[in-house]
Amino acid sequence: MSGPTKAMAALTCAALVLTTAYTVALGSSGWLWLGWVVLAVATIGMAAADSQSPAAPRPRPPAGRGPGTVRP
């Protein structure tokens, strides 16, 4: 995992601890849990995107007359 993905995972874990502490102390908040679930899904998406191997660069098109070229 890259640095930003690790930071996002740490933030998600900290948010889980804080959400749980809030629920124990003051009662459940559906919006707070929904926010945590959205954060967790975003973190999973970042981790999945980070684990993919980078795609090979596309080859350059052949030089010649095509759209956007100036005719002499």
Coordinates of all heavy atoms in Angstrom, one line a residue:
M1 N 0.8 -1.2 0.0 CA 0.0 0.0 0.0 C 0.9 1.2 0.0 O 1.9 1.3 0.7 CB -0.9 0.0 1.3 CG -2.1 -0.8 1.1 SD -3.4 -0.4 2.4 CE -2.7 -1.0 3.9
S2 N 0.4 2.2 -0.7 CA 1.1 3.5 -0.7 C 0.8 4.3 0.5 O -0.1 4.0 1.3 CB 0.8 4.3 -2.0 OG -0.6 4.6 -2.0
G3 N 1.6 5.4 0.6 CA 1.4 6.3 1.8 C 0.0 6.8 2.0 O -0.6 6.8 3.0
P4 N -0.6 7.4 0.9 CA -2.0 7.9 1.1 C -3.0 6.9 1.4 O -3.9 7.1 2.2 CB -2.3 8.5 -0.3 CG -0.9 8.9 -0.9 CD 0.0 7.8 -0.4
T5 N -2.8 5.7 0.9 CA -3.7 4.6 1.2 C -3.6 4.2 2.7 O -4.6 3.9 3.4 CB -3.5 3.4 0.3 OG1 -3.6 3.8 -1.1 CG2 -4.5 2.3 0.5
K6 N -2.4 4.1 3.2 CA -2.2 3.8 4.6 C -2.8 4.9 5.5 O -3.4 4.6 6.5 CB -0.7 3.7 4.9 CG -0.1 2.4 4.4 CD 1.4 2.3 4.7 CE 2.0 1.0 4.1 NZ 3.4 0.9 4.4
A7 N -2.6 6.1 5.1 CA -3.2 7.2 5.9 C -4.7 7.2 5.9 O -5.3 7.4 6.9 CB -2.7 8.6 5.3
M8 N -5.3 6.8 4.8 CA -6.8 6.7 4.7 C -7.2 5.5 5.5 O -8.3 5.6 6.2 CB -7.2 6.5 3.2 CG -8.6 6.4 3.0 SD -9.3 8.1 2.9 CE -10.8 7.8 2.1
A9 N -6.5 4.4 5.6 CA -6.8 3.3 6.4 C -6.7 3.6 7.9 O -7.6 3.3 8.7 CB -5.9 2.1 6.1
A10 N -5.7 4.4 8.3 CA -5.6 4.8 9.6 C -6.7 5.8 10.0 O -7.3 5.7 11.1 CB -4.2 5.5 9.8
L11 N -7.1 6.7 9.1 CA -8.2 7.6 9.4 C -9.5 6.8 9.6 O -10.3 7.1 10.4 CB -8.3 8.6 8.2 CG -9.5 9.5 8.3 CD1 -9.3 10.5 9.5 CD2 -9.7 10.3 7.0
T12 N -9.7 5.8 8.8 CA -10.9 5.0 8.9 C -11.0 4.2 10.2 O -12.0 4.1 10.8 CB -11.0 4.0 7.7 OG1 -10.9 4.7 6.5 CG2 -12.2 3.1 7.7
C13 N -9.8 3.7 10.6 CA -9.8 3.0 11.9 C -10.1 4.0 13.1 O -10.8 3.6 14.0 CB -8.4 2.3 12.1 SG -8.2 0.9 11.0
A14 N -9.5 5.1 13.0 CA -9.7 6.2 14.0 C -11.2 6.6 14.0 O -11.8 6.8 15.1 CB -8.8 7.4 13.8
A15 N -11.8 6.7 12.9 CA -13.2 7.1 12.8 C -14.1 6.0 13.4 O -15.1 6.3 14.0 CB -13.6 7.4 11.3
L16 N -13.7 4.7 13.2 CA -14.4 3.6 13.8 C -14.4 3.7 15.3 O -15.4 3.5 16.0 CB -13.9 2.3 13.3 CG -14.6 1.1 13.9 CD1 -16.1 1.0 13.6 CD2 -13.9 -0.2 13.4
V17 N -13.2 3.9 15.8 CA -13.1 4.0 17.3 C -13.9 5.2 17.8 O -14.6 5.1 18.8 CB -11.6 4.2 17.7 CG1 -11.4 4.5 19.1 CG2 -10.8 2.9 17.3
L18 N -13.8 6.4 17.2 CA -14.6 7.5 17.6 C -16.1 7.3 17.5 O -16.8 7.7 18.4 CB -14.1 8.8 16.9 CG -12.7 9.3 17.2 CD1 -12.3 10.4 16.2 CD2 -12.6 9.7 18.6
T19 N -16.5 6.7 16.4 CA -17.9 6.4 16.2 C -18.4 5.5 17.3 O -19.5 5.7 17.9 CB -18.2 5.9 14.8 OG1 -17.7 6.8 13.9 CG2 -19.6 5.6 14.6
T20 N -17.6 4.5 17.6 CA -18.0 3.5 18.6 C -18.1 4.2 20.0 O -19.0 4.0 20.8 CB -17.1 2.3 18.6 OG1 -17.0 1.7 17.3 CG2 -17.5 1.3 19.7
A21 N -17.1 5.0 20.3 CA -17.1 5.7 21.6 C -18.3 6.7 21.7 O -18.9 6.7 22.8 CB -15.8 6.5 21.7
Y22 N -18.6 7.3 20.6 CA -19.8 8.2 20.6 C -21.0 7.5 20.9 O -21.9 7.9 21.6 CB -19.9 9.0 19.3 CG -21.0 10.0 19.2 CD1 -20.8 11.3 19.6 CD2 -22.3 9.6 18.8 CE1 -21.9 12.2 19.5 CE2 -23.3 10.4 18.7 CZ -23.1 11.8 19.1 OH -24.2 12.6 19.0
T23 N -21.2 6.3 20.2 CA -22.4 5.5 20.4 C -22.5 5.0 21.8 O -23.6 4.9 22.4 CB -22.3 4.3 19.4 OG1 -22.3 4.8 18.0 CG2 -23.5 3.4 19.5
V24 N -21.4 4.6 22.4 CA -21.4 4.1 23.8 C -21.8 5.2 24.8 O -22.6 5.0 25.7 CB -20.1 3.4 24.2 CG1 -20.0 3.1 25.7 CG2 -19.9 2.1 23.4
A25 N -21.2 6.4 24.5 CA -21.4 7.5 25.5 C -22.7 8.2 25.3 O -23.4 8.5 26.3 CB -20.3 8.5 25.3
L26 N -23.1 8.4 24.1 CA -24.3 9.3 23.9 C -25.5 8.6 23.1 O -26.5 9.2 22.9 CB -23.9 10.5 23.1 CG -22.8 11.4 23.8 CD1 -22.4 12.5 22.8 CD2 -23.4 12.0 25.1
G27 N -25.3 7.4 22.7 CA -26.3 6.7 21.9 C -26.0 6.7 20.4 O -25.2 7.5 19.9
S28 N -26.7 5.8 19.8 CA -26.4 5.6 18.4 C -26.9 6.8 17.5 O -27.9 7.4 17.8 CB -27.1 4.3 17.9 OG -26.8 4.1 16.6
S29 N -26.1 7.0 16.5 CA -26.4 8.1 15.5 C -26.3 7.4 14.1 O -25.2 7.0 13.7 CB -25.5 9.2 15.6 OG -25.7 10.1 14.5
G30 N -27.4 7.3 13.4 CA -27.4 6.6 12.1 C -26.6 7.4 11.1 O -25.9 6.8 10.3
W31 N -26.6 8.7 11.2 CA -25.8 9.5 10.2 C -24.3 9.3 10.4 O -23.5 9.3 9.5 CB -26.2 11.0 10.3 CG -27.5 11.3 9.8 CD1 -28.6 11.7 10.4 CD2 -27.9 11.3 8.4 NE1 -29.6 11.9 9.6 CE2 -29.2 11.6 8.3 CE3 -27.2 11.0 7.2 CZ2 -29.9 11.7 7.1 CZ3 -27.9 11.1 6.0 CH2 -29.2 11.4 5.9
L32 N -23.9 9.2 11.7 CA -22.5 9.0 12.0 C -22.1 7.6 11.5 O -21.0 7.5 10.9 CB -22.3 9.0 13.5 CG -20.9 9.2 14.0 CD1 -20.3 10.5 13.5 CD2 -20.9 9.3 15.6
W33 N -22.9 6.6 11.7 CA -22.5 5.3 11.2 C -22.6 5.2 9.6 O -21.7 4.6 9.0 CB -23.4 4.2 11.7 CG -23.0 3.8 13.1 CD1 -23.7 4.2 14.3 CD2 -21.9 3.1 13.5 NE1 -23.0 3.7 15.4 CE2 -21.9 3.1 14.9 CE3 -20.9 2.5 12.9 CZ2 -20.9 2.4 15.7 CZ3 -19.9 1.8 13.6 CH2 -19.9 1.8 15.0
L34 N -23.5 5.9 9.0 CA -23.5 6.0 7.6 C -22.3 6.7 7.1 O -21.7 6.2 6.1 CB -24.8 6.8 7.1 CG -24.8 7.0 5.6 CD1 -25.0 5.6 4.9 CD2 -25.9 7.9 5.2
G35 N -21.8 7.7 7.7 CA -20.6 8.4 7.3 C -19.4 7.5 7.4 O -18.5 7.5 6.6
W36 N -19.4 6.7 8.5 CA -18.3 5.8 8.6 C -18.3 4.7 7.5 O -17.2 4.3 7.0 CB -18.3 5.1 10.0 CG -17.1 4.2 10.2 CD1 -15.8 4.6 10.5 CD2 -17.0 2.8 9.8 NE1 -15.0 3.5 10.4 CE2 -15.7 2.4 10.0 CE3 -17.9 1.9 9.4 CZ2 -15.3 1.1 9.8 CZ3 -17.5 0.6 9.2 CH2 -16.2 0.2 9.4
V37 N -19.4 4.2 7.2 CA -19.6 3.2 6.1 C -19.1 3.7 4.8 O -18.4 3.1 4.1 CB -21.0 2.6 6.1 CG1 -21.2 1.8 4.8 CG2 -21.3 1.8 7.3
V38 N -19.5 5.0 4.5 CA -19.0 5.6 3.3 C -17.5 5.7 3.3 O -16.8 5.5 2.3 CB -19.7 7.0 3.1 CG1 -19.1 7.8 2.0 CG2 -21.2 6.8 2.8
L39 N -16.9 6.2 4.4 CA -15.5 6.3 4.5 C -14.8 4.9 4.3 O -13.8 4.8 3.7 CB -15.1 6.9 5.9 CG -13.6 7.1 6.1 CD1 -13.0 8.1 5.2 CD2 -13.4 7.6 7.6
A40 N -15.4 3.9 4.9 CA -14.8 2.5 4.8 C -14.9 2.0 3.3 O -13.9 1.5 2.8 CB -15.6 1.5 5.7
V41 N -16.0 2.3 2.6 CA -16.1 1.9 1.2 C -15.1 2.6 0.4 O -14.4 2.1 -0.5 CB -17.5 2.1 0.7 CG1 -17.6 1.9 -0.8 CG2 -18.4 1.1 1.4
A42 N -14.9 3.9 0.7 CA -13.9 4.7 -0.1 C -12.5 4.2 0.2 O -11.6 4.1 -0.7 CB -14.0 6.2 0.3
T43 N -12.2 3.8 1.4 CA -10.9 3.2 1.8 C -10.7 1.9 1.0 O -9.6 1.6 0.5 CB -10.8 3.0 3.3 OG1 -11.0 4.3 3.9 CG2 -9.4 2.5 3.7
I44 N -11.7 1.1 1.0 CA -11.6 -0.2 0.3 C -11.3 0.0 -1.2 O -10.5 -0.6 -1.8 CB -12.8 -1.1 0.5 CG1 -12.9 -1.5 2.0 CG2 -12.9 -2.3 -0.4 CD1 -14.2 -2.2 2.4
G45 N -12.0 1.0 -1.7 CA -11.8 1.4 -3.2 C -10.4 1.8 -3.4 O -9.8 1.5 -4.4
M46 N -9.9 2.7 -2.5 CA -8.5 3.1 -2.7 C -7.5 2.0 -2.6 O -6.5 1.9 -3.4 CB -8.1 4.2 -1.6 CG -8.5 5.6 -1.9 SD -7.9 6.7 -0.6 CE -6.2 6.8 -0.9
A47 N -7.7 1.1 -1.7 CA -6.8 -0.1 -1.5 C -6.9 -1.0 -2.8 O -5.9 -1.5 -3.2 CB -7.2 -0.9 -0.3
A48 N -8.1 -1.1 -3.3 CA -8.2 -2.0 -4.5 C -7.6 -1.3 -5.7 O -6.9 -2.0 -6.5 CB -9.7 -2.2 -4.8
A49 N -7.7 0.0 -5.8 CA -7.1 0.7 -7.0 C -5.6 0.7 -6.8 O -4.9 0.7 -7.8 CB -7.6 2.1 -7.0
D50 N -5.1 0.8 -5.6 CA -3.7 0.8 -5.3 C -3.0 -0.5 -5.6 O -1.9 -0.6 -6.0 CB -3.4 1.2 -3.9 CG -2.0 1.7 -3.6 OD1 -1.4 2.2 -4.6 OD2 -1.5 1.5 -2.5
S51 N -3.8 -1.6 -5.4 CA -3.2 -2.9 -5.6 C -3.2 -3.4 -7.1 O -2.5 -4.4 -7.4 CB -4.0 -4.0 -4.8 OG -5.3 -4.1 -5.3
Q52 N -3.9 -2.7 -8.0 CA -3.9 -3.0 -9.4 C -2.5 -2.7 -10.0 O -1.9 -1.7 -9.7 CB -5.0 -2.3 -10.1 CG -6.4 -2.6 -9.7 CD -6.7 -4.0 -10.0 OE1 -6.3 -4.5 -11.1 NE2 -7.6 -4.7 -9.2
S53 N -2.1 -3.5 -10.9 CA -0.8 -3.2 -11.6 C -1.1 -2.1 -12.6 O -2.1 -2.1 -13.2 CB -0.3 -4.5 -12.3 OG -1.2 -4.9 -13.2
P54 N -0.2 -1.2 -12.8 CA -0.4 -0.1 -13.7 C -0.5 -0.7 -15.1 O 0.2 -1.6 -15.5 CB 0.8 0.8 -13.5 CG 1.8 0.0 -12.9 CD 1.1 -1.1 -12.1
A55 N -1.4 -0.1 -15.9 CA -1.6 -0.5 -17.3 C -0.4 0.0 -18.1 O 0.2 1.0 -17.8 CB -2.9 0.1 -17.8
A56 N -0.1 -0.8 -19.1 CA 1.0 -0.4 -20.0 C 0.6 0.9 -20.8 O -0.6 1.0 -21.1 CB 1.3 -1.5 -21.0
P57 N 1.5 1.8 -21.0 CA 1.2 3.0 -21.8 C 0.8 2.6 -23.2 O 1.3 1.7 -23.8 CB 2.5 3.8 -21.7 CG 3.5 2.9 -21.4 CD 2.9 1.7 -20.6
R58 N -0.2 3.4 -23.7 CA -0.6 3.1 -25.1 C 0.4 3.6 -26.0 O 1.1 4.6 -25.8 CB -1.9 3.9 -25.3 CG -3.1 3.3 -24.5 CD -4.4 3.9 -24.9 NE -4.4 5.3 -24.6 CZ -5.4 6.1 -24.9 NH1 -6.4 5.7 -25.6 NH2 -5.4 7.4 -24.6
P59 N 0.6 2.9 -27.1 CA 1.6 3.3 -28.1 C 1.2 4.6 -28.8 O 0.0 4.9 -28.9 CB 1.7 2.2 -29.1 CG 0.4 1.5 -28.9 CD 0.0 1.7 -27.5
R60 N 2.1 5.4 -29.2 CA 1.8 6.6 -29.9 C 1.3 6.3 -31.3 O 1.7 5.3 -32.0 CB 3.0 7.5 -30.1 CG 3.5 8.0 -28.7 CD 4.7 8.8 -28.9 NE 4.2 10.1 -29.5 CZ 4.9 11.2 -29.4 NH1 6.0 11.3 -28.7 NH2 4.4 12.3 -29.9
P61 N 0.3 7.1 -31.8 CA -0.1 6.8 -33.2 C 1.0 7.2 -34.2 O 1.8 8.0 -33.9 CB -1.3 7.8 -33.3 CG -1.1 8.8 -32.3 CD -0.3 8.2 -31.2
P62 N 0.9 6.5 -35.3 CA 1.9 6.8 -36.3 C 1.9 8.2 -36.8 O 0.8 8.8 -36.9 CB 1.6 5.8 -37.5 CG 0.2 5.4 -37.3 CD -0.1 5.6 -35.8
A63 N 3.0 8.8 -37.1 CA 3.1 10.2 -37.6 C 2.5 10.2 -39.1 O 2.6 9.2 -39.8 CB 4.5 10.7 -37.6
G64 N 1.9 11.2 -39.4 CA 1.3 11.3 -40.7 C 0.2 12.3 -40.7 O 0.0 13.1 -39.8
R65 N -0.6 12.3 -41.8 CA -1.7 13.2 -41.9 C -2.9 12.6 -41.2 O -3.4 11.6 -41.5 CB -2.0 13.5 -43.3 CG -0.9 14.1 -44.0 CD -1.3 14.4 -45.4 NE -0.1 14.9 -46.1 CZ -0.1 16.0 -46.8 NH1 -1.2 16.7 -47.0 NH2 1.0 16.5 -47.4
G66 N -3.4 13.4 -40.2 CA -4.5 13.0 -39.5 C -5.3 14.2 -39.0 O -4.9 15.3 -39.4
P67 N -6.3 14.1 -38.2 CA -7.0 15.2 -37.7 C -6.0 16.1 -36.9 O -5.2 15.6 -36.1 CB -8.1 14.7 -36.8 CG -8.0 13.2 -36.9 CD -6.8 12.8 -37.7
G68 N -6.1 17.4 -37.1 CA -5.3 18.3 -36.3 C -3.9 18.6 -36.9 O -3.1 19.4 -36.4
T69 N -3.5 17.9 -38.0 CA -2.2 18.2 -38.6 C -2.4 19.3 -39.6 O -3.4 19.4 -40.3 CB -1.6 17.0 -39.3 OG1 -2.5 16.5 -40.3 CG2 -1.3 15.9 -38.2
V70 N -1.3 20.1 -39.8 CA -1.4 21.2 -40.8 C -0.8 20.7 -42.1 O 0.3 20.1 -42.1 CB -0.6 22.4 -40.2 CG1 -0.5 23.5 -41.2 CG2 -1.1 22.8 -38.9
R71 N -1.5 21.0 -43.2 CA -1.0 20.6 -44.5 C 0.0 21.6 -45.0 O -0.2 22.8 -44.9 CB -2.1 20.4 -45.5 CG -3.1 19.3 -45.1 CD -4.1 19.2 -46.1 NE -5.0 18.1 -45.6 CZ -5.7 17.3 -46.4 NH1 -5.5 17.4 -47.7 NH2 -6.5 16.4 -46.0
P72 N 1.1 21.2 -45.6 CA 2.1 22.1 -46.1 C 1.6 22.8 -47.4 O 0.7 22.5 -48.1 CB 3.3 21.3 -46.4 CG 2.9 19.9 -46.4 CD 1.6 19.8 -45.7

